[in-house]
Amino acid sequence: METAEIARRFLTFFENNGHTVVPSASLVAEDPTLLLVNAGMVPFKPYFLGQRTAPYTRAASAQKCVRTVDIDEVGKTSRHASFFQMLGNFSFGDYFKAEVIPFAWKLLTDPVEQGGFGLDPERLWVTVFFDDDEAESIWRDKVGLPSERIQRRGMEDNFWSMGVPGPCGPCSEIYYDRGPAYGVEGGPVADENRYLEVWNLVFMQFERGAGESKTDFEILGDLPKKNIDTGMGLERMAAILQGVDNIYETDTLGTILKRAAELSGTKYGENENVDVSLRVVADHVRTATMLVADGVKPGNEKRGYVLRRILRRSIRNMRLLAGAAEDRHYMHDLTATAIRVMSELYPELRTNAEAIHSVIDAEEKNFSDTLRSGTALFNRAAERTKVGGHTQFSGADAFQLHDTYGFPIDLTLEMAAEQGLSVDEGTFRSLMQEQKDTAKRDAKSKKLGNADIGVYARLLDGSGATDFLGYTDHESESRVLGLIVDGQPVTVARAGDRVELVLDRTPFYAESGGQLADKGTVASDGRGLVDVDDVQKPVPGLFVHRGTVRSGELAVDDHVHAAIDGDRRASVSRSHSATHLIHSALRNALGTGTGQAGSENQPGRLRFDFTANKAMTPTELAEVEEEVNTVLSGDIQVRDFQTSLDEALAMGALAMFGEKYGDRVRVVEMSDYSRELCGGTHVPATGQLGIVKLLGESSVGSGVRRVEAAVGIDAFRRLSKESMLVSQLSDQLKTPREELPQRIDTMVARLRAAEKEIEKLRAAQVLQAAGGLAANAREVGAARVVTHRVDDGVTGDDLRKLVLDVRGRLGEDGPVVVAVAGVPKDRPVVVVAVNKAGQERGLAAGELVGVAARVLGGGGGGKPDVAQGGGTDASAVDTALRAVEQRISESV
């Protein structure tokens, strides 16, 4: 039975039994405490916690999940995976044990032709919590399972909670006996490899208190309503129903793994190292595809880092499989395979295939460049470590690989292990934390404030969604439904308080879809006045106005007058409409595969991020700008209307890649030129934009580019300023405007030629000292040694040439060491060279540079014959050279 059919059969069974089938939520969790959705019940968590009221009493879903804690184990075993799908049925105060247990038994054991999975009842075992007599009785007396196939287990195995105070309860797990070939008899308590868990039925009936571990907490009492939460691993069930040993041999992961083997010229099942790499590739390519499809982009933080890490692990493992010299790109082909096998359940993968490929292909190209440069640095550092007689790779070097070359620490760990080295992870983690501590506070925390999300959810449940009037009105008469100060609900807010207000109706636009929030005032009949500077929607449907009470006080139930800053709104709306025009122009210029990857619409200015693998040319930018301004000059009417999602997509409306939409959507169209799904505010006609001026284009991440633009009066001011600047240059250079580019090119060429000539003269001057330095070499131990500090202003290349020249003059008659230091660009640099005779006596340039670099407050390394390092303390140059001499005297 194919994986997609298993999911369909599960959902159909529960739909026929009164459940609402809920589509999988995005992998990007709404819960701010989670990085990614990691369990099937996560989308329903607010209902179980009582933060929100469920819109249904019974539900079933097939939920996409990603777990990151086991990423390092993926590939090493045939059971770990970073992406998985969880089938689940849920009851919110409706049915309980007496209903859910028979549901599970019927679906598992009913014949295939009757809609079941057709499992042999004689091969099913269950476990129950050690004192759950009720569950055992239902299994034995109602279902008919023999007592000898019902086993009792303790808190560690058969009791569930979220890990925090809240709902909890015992669970009953269902196991399938795979037979004697997989282990010993005796049920799940004897062997969980032979007896494979296929379904966990959680009975939420208690409320737990705080605790330190999974088993250390107090049961506070019964829940007002008993709930059901079940989870069946789709991949694991597929392995059983398809008669294969593990999830990597199923029709989804197995197909991707087979393609990876074909592309790399390897075979699965003959070599354990090869098998590990193939499993890593199969799992990670699928996970990356699903993450990108949900709008995640590779980056260096949070979800972006998870995606970058798994992509780079899969790319490197493909390189290892194909051979170290292989430099082909594989991800496009593998991603296409993942899209094909997963699109049966997620058809949006086919729709967004081009955009998914764009992101993943760009990351592979970037990482190919990274591997070339970063691997060279790694090899030098590893060589330096071994030459020095050490077995631990420097934490500082690991951090540099991460910070400068984008190497995930796990990649450095793998490469180090391949060379028999460990890594100083303590120092690496310390440097990472230091970097995080000096970075700006996460922007999201600023937007969400410090109130618990449950506060907002309770307001929404108690008062309903905010009525947004802002498409037509700039002012409204409203009522205060809630006030929050310092994260806590209050009845009154007074002058000076930083407050959050919830109104029953509002003209204020809440920040979303790239459009910044409105600003304005909320006044209560002369009693109080609030300056609103931000509006957010911490839970869908609830507008939260944030501001400061300027005077008086506001109270819950006050009738207030809410008014936005109309000029600011108009300016932001012009930017938003310009964004739609730029989006269409970019697609016309670069192709329909160019998708929106984010935007921000400010008063008079905008930025628009889009998927692309290369920078735009100046000609392309100019063409886009001209097209936008030609269209807006036509004064096209801007129209918005509501329709169904299917109808909107059928008429060609663009949806933002990775965004989730409801059944009803708002479409904003500008004739046939632009048609998008959008909830933002816009101008009535494009002529009101005045003019749009593109300010530039740049890269903001792997496969993502950004254009910025000024709109309206801001664009005019920009053009006026540039015109004035051009006039000033024309006057100063005594050159007509149209000849300025050629004149400036000529001046720059002359300046560069002069700089090169000066550099040659300086290098020649430095090398003139070589003869004198060689003649004055001193005896240090058994070696002839030259240490010298050159004048500031020289380059690292100058130092290297001087060192090699002096070493060459001293020949091979005995050990020779030359160490020269300087301070180019205010940062000290030291270069050391050792001749062959010196190397044979145990002297190594890499080690000696390390001695000097540590004194300078830095690091460095290189080969045994020549090495370069540096630091930050320019005052320690002489001390560093003396340290080199001291080490030589101790060595020879």
Side-chain angles (χ1 to χ4, degrees), residues 253-446:
L253 278 175
T255 301
I256 305 171
L257 186 149
K258 182 180 179 181
R259 186 58 183 150
E262 290 171 351
L263 290 171
S264 61
T266 58
K267 190 171 182 180
Y268 186 66
E270 294 183 350
N271 178 285
E272 181 58 23
N273 289 333
V274 169
D275 290 353
V276 167
S277 288
L278 286 172
R279 288 193 290 261
V280 168
V281 171
D283 172 80
H284 285 7
V285 167
R286 183 172 73 152
T287 304
T289 300
M290 301 307 292
L291 283 171
V292 174
D294 276 349
V296 181
K297 301 292 190 301
N300 291 326
E301 292 184 346
K302 299 184 178 179
R303 302 180 188 98
Y305 180 69
V306 171
L307 175 58
R308 172 159 285 167
R309 181 182 178 192
I310 63 173
L311 272 173
R312 294 188 169 190
R313 282 193 91 207
S314 56
I315 294 166
R316 184 167 184 271
N317 273 276
M318 277 302 293
R319 295 286 183 88
L320 292 174
L321 287 167
E326 185 66 61
D327 196 32
R328 287 175 52 202
H329 289 179
Y330 301 97
M331 296 304 290
H332 191 92
D333 193 316
L334 291 169
T335 301
T337 305
I339 290 172
R340 177 168 55 82
V341 299
M342 296 301 294
S343 59
E344 188 72 19
L345 275 176
Y346 308 102
E348 65 271 17
L349 294 176
R350 285 192 294 265
T351 305
N352 296 320
E354 192 171 354
I356 295 170
H357 281 305
S358 176
V359 173
I360 294 179
D361 290 351
E363 181 65 12
E364 181 172 32
K365 180 181 182 303
N366 289 346
F367 190 44
S368 295
D369 298 337
T370 290
L371 274 175
R372 279 192 290 272
S373 53
T375 301
L377 174 64
F378 172 86
N379 289 337
R380 288 197 299 270
E383 181 182 3
R384 185 171 66 250
T385 301
K386 290 192 248 185
V387 167
H390 305 294
T391 59
Q392 188 175 61
F393 191 85
S394 159
D397 286 333
F399 177 74
Q400 184 182 5
L401 280 166
H402 166 82
D403 195 45
T404 305
Y405 295 96
F407 267 45
I409 182 60
D410 71 302
L411 178 55
T412 302
L413 288 167
E414 288 179 12
M415 293 174 68
E418 289 166 6
Q419 298 206 26
L421 300 172
S422 62
V423 177
D424 181 1
E425 291 187 69
T427 299
F428 171 81
R429 305 289 178 197
S430 176
L431 291 169
M432 285 289 291
Q433 189 60 48
E434 183 180 329
Q435 185 184 63
K436 290 178 182 178
D437 290 343
T438 57
K440 292 181 180 179
R441 185 173 296 178
D442 179 56
K444 185 174 182 181
S445 65
K446 296 179 182 178

Side-chain angles (χ1 to χ4, degrees), residues 810-826:
L810 291 172
E812 291 293 337
D813 186 17
V816 169
V817 179
V818 182
V820 177
V823 190
K825 297 182 180 179
D826 299 322

Side-chain angles (χ1 to χ4, degrees), residues 577-818:
S577 296
T579 297
H580 284 218
L581 293 175
I582 289 172
H583 189 185
S584 289
L586 284 170
R587 287 169 60 86
N588 291 340
L590 305 179
T592 56
T594 302
Q596 182 174 353
S599 64
E600 183 176 86
N601 303 298
Q602 307 174 26
R605 190 181 177 99
L606 66 89
R607 63 170 172 79
F608 183 82
D609 298 344
F610 58 98
T611 55
N613 291 329
K614 62 180 181 178
M616 294 180 67
T617 66
T619 299
E620 288 172 332
L621 278 173
E623 290 174 351
V624 167
E625 183 177 80
E626 181 175 352
E627 181 175 318
V628 168
N629 284 284
T630 299
V631 171
L632 69 84
S633 67
D635 201 23
I636 298 172
Q637 181 185 1
V638 179
R639 188 171 77 96
D640 68 88
F641 56 91
Q642 298 264 346
T643 186
S644 70
L645 177 60
D646 290 341
E647 288 178 354
L649 296 177
M651 67 176 64
L654 298 179
M656 183 173 174
F657 178 56
E659 187 70 32
K660 301 302 176 186
Y661 298 93
D663 293 334
R664 299 290 295 177
V665 294
R666 179 172 180 259
V667 178
V668 175
E669 68 175 14
M670 303 172 188
S671 186
D672 289 330
Y673 183 74
S674 170
R675 186 174 290 115
E676 296 191 28
L677 304 186
C678 179
T681 64
H682 291 269
V683 297
T686 60
Q688 294 190 13
L689 301 184
I691 190 171
V692 175
K693 173 61 181 173
L694 296 187
L695 305 179
E697 187 259 14
S698 61
S699 171
V700 291
S702 178
V704 180
R705 309 291 301 181
R706 171 177 293 171
V707 291
E708 298 184 67
V711 184
I713 189 65
D714 293 84
F716 171 78
R717 288 170 181 155
R718 176 77 179 218
L719 290 169
S720 177
K721 185 177 180 180
E722 289 181 355
S723 179
M724 186 179 298
L725 178 61
V726 171
S727 293
Q728 290 173 347
L729 285 172
S730 180
D731 290 344
Q732 289 176 0
L733 299 178
K734 308 299 181 186
T735 303
R737 283 174 167 241
E738 61 273 13
E739 296 179 12
L740 278 176
Q742 182 179 354
R743 177 66 188 278
I744 292 172
D745 283 346
T746 301
M747 293 176 64
V748 170
R750 289 176 179 174
L751 179 61
R752 287 176 177 167
E755 287 175 344
K756 287 182 180 179
E757 189 62 30
I758 292 171
E759 187 176 330
K760 288 180 182 179
L761 292 172
R762 186 180 64 246
Q765 187 177 17
V766 170
L767 290 174
Q768 285 177 359
L773 292 174
N776 292 309
R778 294 178 294 106
E779 299 290 335
V780 177
R784 285 178 295 160
V785 176
V786 173
T787 58
H788 177 64
R789 174 174 181 163
V790 303
D791 293 335
D792 297 346
V794 298
T795 67
D797 283 343
D798 293 341
L799 297 179
R800 197 177 188 88
K801 291 174 183 176
L802 177 60
V803 163
L804 294 176
D805 193 334
V806 174
R807 186 185 67 177
R809 292 171 186 265
L810 291 172
E812 291 293 337
D813 186 17
V816 169
V817 179
V818 182

Side-chain angles (χ1 to χ4, degrees), residues 6-62:
I6 296 170
R8 281 193 291 266
R9 194 167 285 243
F10 181 96
L11 296 175
T12 299
F13 174 86
F14 282 104
E15 185 175 29
N16 292 339
N17 282 280
H19 292 65
T20 299
V21 174
V22 180
S24 174
S26 167
L27 285 167
V28 179
E30 288 187 6
D31 186 340
T33 66
L34 292 175
L35 196 65
L36 295 161
V37 169
N38 60 3
M41 59 77 62
V42 167
F44 305 102
K45 185 176 174 183
Y47 309 145
F48 289 130
L49 289 174
Q51 295 174 340
R52 300 179 65 182
T53 301
Y56 28 67
T57 58
R58 300 181 175 196
S61 68

